[in-house]
Amino acid sequence: MATMKNEQLKIIFGDGTLGLAGDDFHYIFNYSRGGLESLVAGGKEWLYREPLPTFWRATTDNDRGNGFSKKSVQWLGADQFIDLEKIALSVDGKRLALPLAPENNQYSDHEFAREVKITFHYQTLTIPATEVTVAYTVDAAGKISVTVHYQGRKDLPELPVFGLRLVLPTLAAGYEYTGLSGETYPDRMAGAHKGTYQVQGLPVTPYLVPQDCGVHMQTKQVTIARKTVKNNADQSDELFYLTVRSNGTPFAFSCLPYTAEELENATHQEELPLPRRTVLSILGAVRGVGGIDSWGSEVEPAYHISAEEDHEFSFDISACSAK
Amino acid sequence: MKAELKWLDDPTVFRVGQLPAHSDHVAYLNENEVQKQQSSLYQSLNGEWKFHFAKDPTARAIGFYQKDCDISGFDSIQVPGHIELADYSRLHYINTFYPWEGQEYRRPPYTLGKGQQPGIFSAGQDNSVGAYVRNFTLGPQLHGKKIRVRFDGVEQAMYVWLNGHFVGYAEDSFTPSEFDLTPYIENGLNKLAVEVFRYSTAAYLEDQDFFRFSGIFRAVTLIAQPAVHVEDLAIKPVLSADFKSGSVSLALKLQQDQLPAKVQIKIADLSGEQLIHTEQKAVSELEFKDLEIPNVHLWSTKDPYLYQLEITVIQADSEQVLEVVPYQFGFRKIEIKNKVILFNGQRLVINGVNRHEWDAHTGRAVTQADMQQDIATMESNNINAVRTCHYPDQTLWYKLCDEHGLYVMAENNLESHGTWQKEGGIEPSYNVPGSMPEWKDVVIDRARSNYELLKNHPSIIFWSLGNESYAGDNIAAMQAYYKSVDDSRLVHYEGVVHERKYEDRISDVESRMYASPADIREYLENDPQKPFLLCEYMHSMGNSVGGLKSYIDLLEEFEMYQGGFIWDFIDQALFVKDEVSGKEVLRYGGDFDDRVSDYEFSGDGLLFADRTPKPALQEVKYYYGNDEK
């Protein structure tokens, strides 16, 4: 496991970023880019771009038939673009003003803390807009606890999904998760069995028309295994791992080589791009798939996601070079 | 007898020179052949045939069936198979619209107060024609016997010649058609010629939601008949009121030359213990009545117990065996009591699925391996019933269902969706078969063929009159036909919900498709008159099958809710070589420049088109297993 020996977290007060480091990890939050830009453990980068809230799922046949995607189309835009409103920082529980230059001149190359929390406040580009916050709490061991909060807002259409999307730089070799067998959704998970499952590669369920797929409900933990990096100076092909753990309530996730938008735009499986990245979506709320018919019937009401109510979920991330 | 092109335009002409439908038993020359499951009385004509394709009737190969006609310019084609999958004609998928939507203006003959429509199909520019030729020499075992040819499935209309002589015409694409070849068979090489038309008036009755194919897509077989032959066999097992004992009556139709013969009947249980051994002199109509079976072992889905009947035809003077016919039958009872369907005295619960015949490489030309795999998938996922949507399947399917214990809803080859439902609305102004006398015989014939062929299968518990064809006198007449010949099964039809004045004459059950759990509740809480089932529900298109629990919960709550058949078993999509990557990929409607199309709408199976399960199958397995626990 990662560097439990750290007692203190090293803080690098950069000119536009906040670096947090320990013996075996190094994380960088970027203020202007609005998120966690780099998550390195064991010398391996885990992020391609900053994680952002996700709201869209590639239209399922039933979504198309009952017009859900049209009713909720604002969330497609919101999934692709979002405004950063502000960033809040606290170190060892003490609130700090964002240490931008020259404010950060007061610090040294010896800054330590037991725990740092940085919260990104986003504003959705919906009408009306609402706020989503992503709060990262990093401890001395390098564990990142993430809490994602959606503020309910009247007059917004139902959400297709609500989660945090992490795009990893290369294709994963596979993943292992503890949760339910197979692909599950809130209205289709009674037949699943609890267990720990190994998945080779990043299979996309080959629905005739590519659509949302690969969701795993009620997950306690998922570990992604990669072999490849984009770092030209690193030719190793040893596996390395990133684990997302529930810190209370189980979460849902999908781990695919595509974003919702990439899936959305293909009319056949063979039109999907060559897989080259890993899109890990940690989901706090998932809409049911429905099934009565494919030309109008709604998903049962219990499996909708109201955009008028608050939603929140949280989980822990830790990365390590050995499993 | 002369072949007439105008038959294509006439709904009153649908079989010419065709032998009457009969039971699907297999005859063997002797007991040894029965043991080996290899009959020398059959000769397959599957394989390579000579073929000529014409885009319309004016371009067809006139006279190609003549014995001396030079067909050296013909191509070759594999039988069974679809003309479209051999790339002569465009692949096309469309759901409810007729396949000529936006291409040709047509109204069915005798609708809208009009009469015949000469040339509607015989001069149709979209009515492509396949000319098939197969030269064959009779195998030695078939020599000296009467010879017939059986086509198990040809879409949609065909004319047949042997050695230049016209032997008959048939429609009804999904039902075997047999023709007697005996008068024209020659020693040495024989020329069998078949002219297959894409459309006839049968097209109006075959508007199923599927890829629209044409051609000889099921097996073709020569069949030799011994001098005395069991032409038809009707097995009537009857149970006592307490289900403890049973008796079986057999009615045989024999084809008999002047040869005196006797017919021996043996019935054994599964262990081989002989229960019945009797014989009678062979006459053209022969009955063995009320053969008693004590301590009867019932057939059920959990224990599909079959008794072994063997009929042996023996020449009277020489004691020589002429023919042996084995058949497996079962004892079970289906009935409605207090508005609840009972099976062997217990409430029936259907955990069913609709199944189209489908193979992503060969379309509806499915193999025995496909069928066996489908049976295994159903068994391992607690599926206990199958509706043969929307046509009769290959006969082997019903035998497998008997053996493996699946309830079958045996549906007729009838769907006229495009004649009454337009863009979502019900508009039956030119509905067929409706109540027009000219469209009656053709649908009765379909009902009769379905019954006569399949009547001995214990797995069949419902006859289904067809799918989505609205309701009128002719569909009521189909039900009357079934009621007149069969008191051991129920009759099902959904379309009467759109025309409730036929309610008393059509369907023993209230059948719906895609009713929501709330709709079902509403029916069942308001003085329901018939037991309720869903002939189609839980549309498994793409990533779907959410909310199954709400349907399963109704089973607990309402005795008269008896379950349903999920739509459907397997995605209908075709493997095609991708023009960009060169890889084999799955394609659907609209991918072949086929317009008008319904695109991916045929991708609604619990399995992907390559027969791998969709993720939703584990949910089905769970809820369908509920009543077993």
Side-chain angles (χ1 to χ4, degrees):
Chain A
M1 289 306 296
T3 60
M4 290 303 288
K5 60 191 175 192
N6 284 324
E7 284 168 16
Q8 293 274 287
L9 188 58
K10 184 175 183 187
I11 309 180
I12 300 106
F13 289 98
D15 286 342
T17 63
L18 183 78
L20 301 176
D23 281 357
D24 200 35
F25 64 90
H26 198 121
Y27 311 143
I28 302 173
F29 295 91
N30 188 310
Y31 307 138
S32 61
R33 294 185 62 87
L36 177 59
E37 184 182 1
S38 177
L39 191 166
V40 171
K44 308 282 187 180
E45 177 60 73
W46 275 97
L47 291 175
Y48 179 68
R49 295 290 186 266
E50 297 73 21
L52 285 174
T54 184
F55 308 102
W56 190 250
R57 73 172 184 198
T59 302
T60 67
D61 288 310
N62 288 344
D63 288 342
R64 204 181 327 277
N66 62 35
F68 172 70
S69 299
K70 290 191 280 185
K71 278 180 267 182
S72 288
V73 71
Q74 288 200 67
W75 293 117
L76 172 59
D79 192 73
Q80 291 184 283
F81 309 102
I82 199 159
D83 269 343
L84 176 70
E85 200 185 8
K86 62 176 182 192
I87 302 169
L89 177 66
S90 61
V91 174
D92 285 336
K94 212 174 89 187
R95 188 73 186 262
L96 292 188
L98 205 59
L100 297 169
E103 179 82 14
N104 60 342
N105 287 342
Q106 65 179 291
Y107 298 109
S108 71
D109 64 351
H110 269 75
E111 300 293 340
F112 293 91
R114 289 186 309 283
E115 183 186 278
V116 172
K117 182 179 183 186
I118 182 164
T119 305
F120 294 85
H121 293 254
Y122 301 99
Q123 190 86 29
T124 63
L125 295 166
T126 49
I127 302 170
T130 189
E131 192 186 70
V132 178
T133 56
V134 180
Y136 300 88
T137 306
V138 182
D139 70 11
K143 183 180 82 178
I144 309 172
S145 298
V146 185
T147 298
V148 188
H149 181 86
Y150 169 91
Q151 189 178 317
R153 185 72 193 257
K154 202 170 172 320
D155 297 329
L156 279 173
E158 287 174 359
L159 284 156
V161 75
F162 176 54
L164 188 73
R165 182 178 58 225
L166 287 78
V167 182
L168 317 183
T170 60
L171 205 56
Y175 57 94
E176 182 186 284
Y177 70 97
T178 301
L180 299 178
S181 63
E183 178 191 272
T184 44
Y185 284 83
D187 57 351
R188 199 189 72 209
M189 59 183 200
H193 300 279
K194 287 182 184 164
T196 296
Y197 299 95
Q198 301 268 359
V199 178
Q200 293 299 312
L202 296 181
V204 175
T205 316
Y207 294 114
L208 209 45
V209 173
Q211 54 197 271
D212 187 65
C213 63
V215 170
H216 301 282
M217 300 297 296
Q218 297 289 324
T219 306
K220 287 191 174 139
Q221 134 168 6
V222 56
T223 297
I224 315 293
R226 285 166 63 215
K227 266 186 182 177
T228 56
V229 293
K230 297 185 86 70
N231 175 2
N232 58 296
D234 182 353
Q235 301 298 326
S236 154
D237 64 352
E238 296 285 298
L239 285 168
F240 56 100
Y241 305 92
L242 177 131
T243 296
V244 175
R245 262 188 208 90
S246 124
N247 59 12
T249 320
F251 58 91
F253 78 99
S254 66
C255 191
L256 300 166
Y258 304 117
T259 62
E261 288 75 18
E262 285 170 322
L263 290 166
E264 184 76 62
N265 284 335
T267 62
H268 294 81
Q269 290 292 331
E270 64 271 21
E271 293 163 21
L272 289 165
L274 282 176
R276 55 178 73 246
R277 283 190 276 276
T278 301
V279 179
L280 173 63
S281 301
I282 308 298
L283 307 172
V286 179
R287 183 180 171 90
V289 284
I292 292 173
D293 61 41
S294 302
W295 47 90
S297 285
E298 273 284 359
V299 170
E300 291 186 296
Y303 309 110
H304 296 202
I305 312 170
S306 168
E308 306 196 335
E309 293 165 11
D310 284 16
H311 300 280
E312 185 175 291
F313 63 100
S314 57
F315 55 91
D316 295 342
I317 300 177
S318 54
C320 50
S321 46
K323 210 168 165 182
Chain B
M1 190 166 46
K2 191 171 168 300
E4 305 250 26
L5 209 57
K6 66 181 182 190
W7 294 339
L8 299 173
D9 303 327
D10 188 348
T12 68
V13 181
F14 44 85
R15 60 191 300 152
V16 176
Q18 209 185 321
L19 294 165
H22 58 78
S23 56
D24 63 351
H25 60 275
V26 177
Y28 296 82
L29 201 56
N30 53 50
E31 181 61 33
N32 187 31
E33 289 191 356
V34 174
Q35 295 308 323
K36 286 188 192 154
Q37 299 262 298
Q38 252 177 5
S39 175
S40 59
L41 296 168
Y42 297 77
Q43 180 176 339
S44 171
L45 294 183
N46 294 347
E48 193 171 295
W49 288 50
K50 291 289 174 197
F51 183 72
H52 173 267
F53 178 77
K55 65 178 176 37
D56 64 49
T58 63
R60 74 195 205 278
I62 305 289
F64 76 100
Y65 50 82
Q66 298 292 352
K67 186 117 205 227
D68 55 0
C69 182
D70 176 19
I71 57 159
S72 55
F74 272 35
D75 300 335
S76 57
I77 196 169
Q78 284 298 311
V79 169
H82 303 293
I83 292 171
E84 291 72 17
L85 279 172
D87 295 334
Y88 287 95
S89 182
R90 177 158 45 206
L91 292 159
H92 185 200
Y93 164 65
I94 192 165
N95 174 9
T96 63
F97 283 134
Y98 280 93
W100 50 82
E101 174 70 16
Q103 314 277 355
E104 299 280 339
Y105 182 91
R106 286 192 171 102
R107 291 294 178 271
Y110 304 105
T111 60
L112 299 165
K114 301 209 173 85
Q116 294 189 36
Q117 311 282 330
I120 179 174
F121 292 112
S122 62
Q125 288 181 26
D126 55 351
N127 196 4
S128 57
V129 188
Y132 289 78
V133 174
R134 172 71 185 247
N135 293 315
F136 68 87
T137 308
L138 278 188
Q141 298 278 21
L142 284 78
H143 269 288
K145 299 189 172 70
K146 283 183 282 186
I147 301 294
R148 60 178 65 179
V149 62
R150 184 178 72 211
F151 297 87
D152 283 344
V154 179
E155 277 183 295
Q156 280 178 312
M158 69 166 162
Y159 297 80
V160 183
W161 293 265
L162 183 71
N163 296 327
H165 301 277
F166 179 61
V167 296
Y169 169 79
E171 297 178 359
D172 194 357
S173 307
F174 296 89
T175 304
S177 305
E178 290 185 359
F179 302 95
D180 185 13
L181 302 182
T182 314
Y184 310 117
I185 281 279
E186 293 175 9
N187 287 325
L189 212 58
N190 288 277
K191 177 176 177 179
L192 181 65
V194 187
E195 195 170 41
V196 178
F197 287 78
R198 183 179 179 89
Y199 298 133
S200 71
T201 47
Y204 273 111
L205 306 175
E206 299 181 10
D207 190 33
Q208 286 93 339
D209 171 14
F210 57 19
F211 273 90
R212 309 303 177 109
F213 291 132
S214 62
I216 304 175
F217 72 100
R218 287 182 185 165
V220 184
T221 314
L222 294 170
I223 306 169
Q225 288 175 238
V228 184
H229 164 66
V230 179
E231 176 68 10
D232 183 61
L233 160 67
I235 308 170
K236 283 272 180 193
V238 178
L239 280 164
S240 62
D242 62 1
F243 301 102
K244 293 228 160 68
S245 60
S247 67
V248 59
S249 298
L250 307 174
L252 276 61
K253 288 185 183 137
L254 299 183
Q255 296 222 330
Q256 192 170 13
D257 295 344
Q258 298 308 315
L259 198 65
K262 60 186 180 182
V263 174
Q264 185 183 75
I265 300 292
K266 285 187 277 188
I267 296 175
D269 64 18
L270 255 188
S271 70
E273 192 189 337
Q274 197 161 295
L275 308 171
I276 303 284
H277 188 168
T278 180
E279 64 179 48
Q280 289 188 44
K281 186 166 164 289
V283 291
S284 63
E285 300 214 351
L286 190 56
E287 280 191 281
F288 292 83
K289 283 203 159 170
D290 304 326
L291 307 169
E292 298 288 334
I293 311 283
N295 301 320
V296 74
H297 194 136
L298 298 175
W299 184 94
S300 70
T301 53
K302 286 168 199 162
D303 179 16
Y305 192 93
L306 294 170
Y307 286 87
Q308 320 290 311
L309 165 68
E310 193 166 280
I311 302 168
T312 308
V313 181
I314 302 163
Q315 196 174 322
D317 45 8
S318 67
E319 292 290 316
Q320 192 202 333
V321 170
L322 297 173
E323 181 180 80
V324 184
V325 173
Y327 209 98
Q328 297 183 307
F329 68 95
F331 286 91
R332 88 283 181 280
K333 183 163 192 169
I334 177 106
E335 62 191 321
I336 297 178
K337 259 190 188 165
N338 300 322
K339 302 183 187 173
V340 174
I341 306 170
L342 304 182
F343 183 86
N344 291 346
Q346 305 285 315
R347 174 188 176 221
L348 175 73
V349 173
I350 294 170
N351 293 321
V353 68
N354 283 273
R355 175 180 173 273
H356 270 291
E357 292 185 311
W358 190 255
D359 182 296
H361 285 109
T362 59
R364 282 192 291 278
V366 298
T367 62
Q368 184 167 344
D370 288 332
M371 289 184 243
Q372 282 165 333
Q373 196 178 336
D374 291 353
I375 290 275
T377 302
M378 291 182 188
E379 279 189 311
S380 59
N381 287 284
N382 300 323
I383 292 166
N384 73 358
V386 62
R387 175 180 179 222
T388 66
C389 63
H390 300 299
Y391 42 81
D393 290 343
Q394 291 186 36
T395 49
L396 176 62
W397 178 254
Y398 304 89
K399 185 170 188 280
L400 293 172
C401 290
D402 292 346
E403 292 170 355
H404 291 266
L406 283 158
Y407 298 127
V408 176
M409 175 177 279
E411 192 149 277
N412 279 293
N413 175 22
L414 174 62
E415 174 160 353
S416 63
H417 209 156
T419 68
W420 64 274
Q421 192 167 40
K422 312 288 165 66
E423 294 290 331
I426 292 167
E427 196 291 288
S429 51
Y430 67 80
N431 173 240
V432 291
S435 299
M436 292 154 291
E438 295 86 353
W439 287 90
K440 182 179 172 185
D441 291 350
V442 63
V443 293
I444 294 292
D445 184 68
R446 286 171 185 233
R448 181 184 297 114
S449 294
N450 199 30
Y451 170 74
E452 292 292 357
L453 180 72
L454 303 174
K455 57 185 176 274
N456 296 321
H457 289 281
S459 55
I460 298 174
I461 60 172
F462 294 100
W463 299 112
S464 179
L465 302 177
N467 186 58
E468 299 188 302
S469 300
Y470 201 60
D473 291 349
N474 292 335
I475 289 179
M478 292 171 85
Q479 164 148 336
Y481 164 76
Y482 280 114
K483 291 291 177 191
S484 74
V485 293
D486 194 355
D487 58 5
S488 69
R489 295 178 176 96
L490 302 178
V491 173
H492 162 273
Y493 183 65
E494 176 268 346
V496 70
V497 301
H498 301 298
E499 182 57 311
R500 293 227 175 245
K501 70 177 181 186
Y502 287 95
E503 222 164 28
D504 296 340
R505 298 163 60 196
I506 298 179
S507 194
D508 292 322
V509 294
E510 172 80 7
S511 174
R512 303 265 187 97
M513 39 177 75
Y514 309 107
S516 68
D519 294 338
I520 299 166
R521 179 179 302 280
E522 191 186 328
Y523 174 83
L524 291 169
E525 284 176 348
N526 289 285
D527 190 24
Q529 294 306 301
K530 296 177 183 177
F532 187 105
L533 63 83
L534 292 162
C535 63
E536 296 176 18
Y537 81 116
M538 206 28 75
H539 195 253
S540 180
M541 185 175 178
N543 190 351
S544 181
V545 194
L548 189 50
K549 180 176 195 296
S550 300
Y551 288 96
I552 301 300
D553 286 350
L554 292 170
L555 286 167
E556 288 273 314
E557 204 175 336
F558 299 99
E559 216 186 0
M560 283 173 69
Y561 176 63
Q562 309 214 253
F565 300 85
I566 288 175
W567 188 268
D568 58 356
F569 186 66
I570 182 167
D571 279 3
Q572 295 168 70
L574 288 166
F575 274 122
V576 169
K577 195 174 159 193
D578 179 20
E579 61 280 5
V580 176
S581 69
K583 288 182 182 156
E584 199 176 50
V585 296
L586 283 165
R587 292 281 162 86
Y588 50 79
D591 286 341
F592 312 99
D593 298 338
D594 49 323
R595 303 290 190 280
V596 174
S597 179
D598 284 287
Y599 303 90
E600 68 272 23
F601 195 68
S602 61
D604 42 17
L606 292 173
L607 307 186
F608 292 107
D610 65 357
R611 288 197 149 67
T612 55
K614 284 187 188 171
L617 196 57
Q618 72 176 358
E619 196 78 350
V620 174
K621 177 179 182 172
Y622 172 76
Y623 282 117
Y624 274 10
N626 264 0
D627 77 322
E628 316 274 326
K629 286 169 189 162

